[in-house]
Amino acid sequence: MGVPAKKIDLNQQLAALSPAKRALLELKLMKRNGGKRAAEETIPRRAERGPVPLSQNQQGLWVLSQLMPDSFLYQIPKAMRLTGKLNIEALHRTLDTIVERHESLRTIFKTIDGVPMQVVVDHARVELPLIDLSARPEAEREEEARRILALEGRRPFNLSEGPLIRCHLLRLADSEHIVLVTTHHIVTDGWSMGIFHRELMDLYEAFAAGKPSRLPELPIQYPDYAVYHRRWFSGDVYESQLTYWKQQFATLPPILELPADHARSNFQAYCAYRGLQQTLAVSPELTRQINDFCRKEEATPFMTLLAAFKVLLHRYTGEEDIVVGSPIAGRCMAETEPLIGLFINVLALRDDLSGDPTFRELLTRVKDTALGAYAHQDLPFETLVRELQPDRALTHNPIFQAMFVLQNEPMPPLEFAGIKSSHVQVENVTTNFDLTLDIVERDGQYLIKFESNADLFEEATITRMMGHFETLLAGIVANPQQAISELPMLTEDERRQLLVEWTNTSTDYPANKCVHELFDEQVLRTPDAIAVTFDDEQLTYAELHRRANRFANYLRTLGIGPDTLVGVHMERSAKLIVALIGIIKAGGAYLPLDLAYPKERMEFMLADAKAPVL
């Protein structure tokens, strides 16, 4: 006989969980708000197939598209190099099937009775123009391919006409192609691109082998979600979430001004900046230490890395009230997980870093902020901005200027039978923020991409910031009880430069020459160079030399020579430099007298030093 199972007391188990774990469990079990279990509610298919309203997430992008009809800012170009024997017919059929399968990729946006609406086109065949570059020399092929990718990635979409997905195939050789897929963000997001990749692999493999599609039917379509979500996110649910965010932003945060290399432009079209990307690969050992620390502190890697990023921003700016934006997938129900569409939302995560807390104390604050934001994640960021009504400036993004992204599931590489694939960078780098940290864990390492506003920051500045962040992470896992002001940031090279190189100020001067003789040699070398600047006055070496000589000759008539002191009682000015050099040229030495000294103190110093001239 087996041992009878011990009765499990669920309430005791829940009580044993930490507050953070209990909140996370409740978020998984509860249907956002109102107490319904996710298993008890599903998203129904819409009854009518006509136009439907935009989703809450699409609304903001549609408004921006009306303001910037020719902008490529919200386009997503993805290119892959395919090496091997490519079945173009199977690839074309694959793309057609994906578009037919997902209504979002067949959606256009029309204004009906003054209201923007989603309109699903019944059938849409994907165009796959073949651009043959194989006859060109190899170097020219690659250059022309980069030019075409950049050009097509930037070619604007027309939301009212569509299609909002474009495909191109570049042939570089018989066994080498580049496929470019460009979509508009209003019908897709990062999670969607992972779905697109997986379905592309599955369908191509089946069609290339002459087999039918093996993909299961989708439970719903994106317009079904849009109808459901608009109905659900209204009334008490909407008011509850809006109240939470208004409490978080009862006062508006300060602008986060990172020390920049260049002045910020007074005009920037809707905060679309020229982007610069650099990547930091955290060592496997430090990655393991960070993950071990997260488990020990009962915090997710997102919370720990976000807290570290906020320490970096605090140390660079001195600000204690720091808001960082972070995207959230927005797929809270199972039916949404296999859909291509725009579900992503941005959370404005505001934390108080005052009081110089330890990192462990700050992490507790960040946990609370993140869990509260997750529980109220449905309010679109654009709605929050509209409700708060901050001062809108074209030079800054509203609410926050830095972004933090942690990708839990990296996009799978394309894997085709008999074909090797690799990612191709499309030269289309723009950024909406001053600084974005994009982190993914791959092969046991955190890969951290720093994306910065290239009009503000030089590449060397961001490289230095990357080193500071890596040092900061190592310091955190080594001693999380340190105050955030004391956590190390300088790299070993910077410490050596600061403590050794910059303090090594010894210089070999000619032992047989006096200071005024060295000065005279410099006058001969650069007579017209500026030697002294004070306020609006400037003296060249030649002018300083002439004035000092005249003053030295005057001092000699007063008996100033070797072993004679001259008292100097002057305010800081160009004349002070003339006087000091003139005294040395006369052969004397100067006795500086502070202007703040009492008269009696100066009389004593002059008498004690036996200085005949003041």
Side-chain angles (χ1 to χ4, degrees), residues 188-216:
T188 189
D189 56 18
W191 182 302
S192 300
M193 296 313 296
I195 296 171
F196 189 94
H197 269 216
R198 285 189 289 271
E199 293 192 355
L200 187 67
M201 289 186 289
D202 290 344
L203 289 169
Y204 177 85
E205 183 178 348
F207 295 155
K211 298 178 181 179
S213 167
R214 298 168 296 183
L215 295 178

Side-chain angles (χ1 to χ4, degrees), residues 54 58-71 74 109-111 116 157-160 184 186 270:
L54 276 60
Q58 290 175 328
Q59 192 79 38
L61 280 184
W62 183 85
V63 171
L64 288 174
S65 74
Q66 304 309 299
L67 295 172
M68 303 180 293
D70 297 325
S71 172
Y74 292 100
F109 297 83
K110 297 281 190 180
T111 301
F157 286 103
N158 186 327
L159 298 191
S160 64
H184 195 285
I186 200 168
Y270 299 97

Side-chain angles (χ1 to χ4, degrees), residues 230-459:
R230 274 194 171 272
R231 175 180 58 79
W232 177 81
F233 192 63
S234 60
D236 292 342
V237 175
Y238 174 81
E239 291 299 331
S240 173
Q241 297 220 9
L242 181 60
T243 298
Y244 169 83
W245 287 108
K246 279 190 170 182
Q247 289 173 348
Q248 292 295 107
F249 291 91
T251 59
L252 291 177
I255 297 294
L256 187 71
E257 290 285 6
L258 289 162
D261 299 300
H262 305 288
R264 189 183 296 275
S265 171
N266 291 327
F267 176 80
Q268 188 69 48
Y270 299 97
C271 294
Y273 309 117
R274 186 169 58 89
L276 172 69
Q277 294 181 350
Q278 298 182 68
T279 301
L280 164 69
V282 177
S283 69
E285 175 62 19
L286 181 53
T287 298
R288 183 189 60 77
Q289 291 173 350
I290 293 170
N291 291 337
D292 288 346
F293 171 78
C294 292
R295 285 188 287 271
K296 182 179 178 182
E297 299 296 321
E298 298 183 335
T300 63
F302 174 89
M303 295 168 179
T304 299
L305 294 168
L306 173 61
F309 183 41
K310 291 202 169 189
V311 173
L312 181 77
L313 297 176
H314 165 69
R315 295 280 290 273
Y316 263 75
T317 65
E319 293 289 352
E320 296 178 336
D321 181 3
I322 293 182
V323 184
V324 169
S326 186
I328 191 164
R331 298 173 187 250
C332 297
M333 301 184 73
E335 297 97 321
T336 64
E337 293 183 2
L339 297 185
I340 290 177
L342 178 62
F343 295 88
I344 193 171
N345 190 21
V346 176
L347 304 180
L349 303 174
R350 186 177 193 176
D351 284 293
D352 176 15
L353 279 72
S354 64
D356 197 19
T358 66
F359 183 81
R360 186 169 275 135
E361 291 169 341
L362 174 62
L363 182 57
T364 299
R365 300 180 191 180
V366 171
K367 281 184 192 178
D368 292 340
T369 298
L371 291 173
Y374 295 160
H376 302 86
Q377 63 179 271
D378 289 276
L379 187 78
F381 177 69
E382 282 298 324
T383 301
L384 175 63
V385 174
R386 186 173 66 248
E387 291 285 344
L388 295 178
Q389 295 187 343
D391 292 334
R392 300 299 293 260
L394 295 180
T395 55
H396 293 88
N397 268 278
I399 311 301
F400 57 84
Q401 292 75 49
M403 193 80 163
F404 179 83
V405 183
L406 179 63
Q407 301 179 42
N408 293 324
E409 295 184 8
M411 187 176 297
L414 287 176
E415 296 179 358
F416 301 123
I419 294 179
K420 181 181 178 182
S421 71
S422 60
H423 176 70
V424 178
Q425 179 66 46
V426 180
E427 296 178 6
N428 191 31
V429 179
T430 59
T431 181
N432 299 75
F433 306 97
D434 291 352
L435 183 66
T436 298
L437 247 64
D438 192 325
I439 305 178
V440 63
E441 185 175 1
R442 185 175 296 135
D443 299 328
Q445 282 186 278
Y446 282 121
L447 301 179
I448 306 178
K449 181 170 67 178
F450 282 68
E451 184 176 278
S452 58
N453 179 349
D455 295 323
L456 286 182
F457 303 104
E458 294 289 341
E459 186 174 352

Side-chain angles (χ1 to χ4, degrees), residues 512-571:
N512 59 342
K513 292 184 180 179
C514 299
V515 171
H516 68 283
E517 292 174 318
L518 297 174
F519 172 76
D520 290 345
E521 291 177 359
Q522 185 64 36
V523 171
L524 293 175
R525 284 193 295 269
T526 59
D528 297 323
I530 300 300
V532 177
T533 298
F534 183 81
D535 289 341
D536 296 331
E537 184 179 8
Q538 290 184 332
L539 296 178
T540 64
Y541 276 97
E543 179 63 15
L544 178 59
H545 179 63
R546 186 181 65 80
R547 292 191 186 188
N549 281 347
R550 186 170 60 186
F551 184 56
N553 291 333
Y554 171 72
L555 290 175
R556 290 193 186 100
T557 65
L558 300 178
I560 300 302
D563 300 323
T564 310
L565 286 174
V566 177
V568 179
H569 184 251
M570 298 176 67
E571 292 185 354

